Amino acid sequence: MTREGVLQPRQGVARRLAPAAGLFLLAPLVAEYLLGNVPMADIGGLPVLAPMYGGGALLIREAARRTGRGWPTMILLAAAYGVLEACLIDQSLFNPSFEGHDFQSVTPIPWLGVSAHYALAFVCGHVIWSIGVPIALVEALTPRRSTVPWLGLPGLVVTGVLFVLGSFVVFQSMLSEGGFVAPAPRRIGAAVVVLLLAGTAFALGRRPRPTL
């Protein structure tokens, strides 16, 4: 086989995976760096954040597109992601001194252990900036492939593993930094909300296929 014949299949694979790779890296850039939560001087932390943010965005996008669903499903899955991250991974909504901030001082709901204001801000922030905007941008840049899956089964498995590992790294980092773990009833309640949002997302009907 000629060198040209070897390069062409490799280029084809790279081209097919480019949107997925772009979303994987764009999600943490938008969610943390563009919004100013993490300064650009700390761009070296991108490989740590990408598996959780990028993996989550990519799994949400693939789950919706593979099942013939669109933005309503992705928005609900993004809300589930927001609850998962803020309540179970970094636990910022439950932690009364998360990174030196008091996220429970405004409109507190004592029996839930969260602030209504920050619960809305965090979850909606993840829906818009962590998931929605990165997906919309990459799909807009790849209009011919905007509604079709970008990954095969191996890619999905790798992305899922990276997401779990990335989430665990963030959880462990927050735990070692502050030593905080939310009470079990609150974590169980958050997990139930995540499952309800995900179930509702897939309960939505598939998009009708266009008739020829």
Side-chain angles (χ1 to χ4, degrees), residues 24-163:
F24 188 82
L25 295 174
L26 184 62
L29 282 171
V30 173
E32 294 290 352
Y33 294 92
L34 180 64
L35 296 184
N37 298 324
V38 177
M40 289 302 296
D42 295 334
I43 193 66
L46 184 64
V48 177
L49 295 173
M52 182 181 69
Y53 281 108
L58 193 50
L59 289 172
I60 286 170
R61 194 261 172 199
E62 291 298 292
R65 296 309 188 191
R66 280 179 165 272
T67 57
R69 292 170 170 84
W71 277 102
T73 292
M74 286 193 281
I75 288 171
L76 284 169
L77 289 176
Y81 171 92
V83 176
L84 178 67
E85 183 180 328
C87 294
L88 297 175
I89 299 176
D90 65 27
Q91 300 187 69
S92 52
L93 271 182
F94 292 140
N95 191 341
S97 59
F98 180 79
E99 295 186 337
H101 302 286
D102 184 359
F103 289 135
Q104 296 185 346
S105 62
V106 181
T107 58
I109 308 175
W111 57 280
L112 287 179
V114 301
S115 156
H117 169 78
Y118 284 110
L120 183 63
F122 284 13
V123 174
C124 289
H126 283 304
V127 170
I128 296 170
W129 298 109
S130 302
I131 308 297
V133 167
I135 291 175
L137 285 174
V138 178
E139 288 193 344
L141 292 172
T142 56
R144 293 184 179 180
R145 301 180 61 197
S146 62
T147 60
V148 299
W150 294 337
L151 296 175
L153 181 58
L156 286 173
V157 172
V158 170
T159 303
V161 170
L162 287 174
F163 173 71

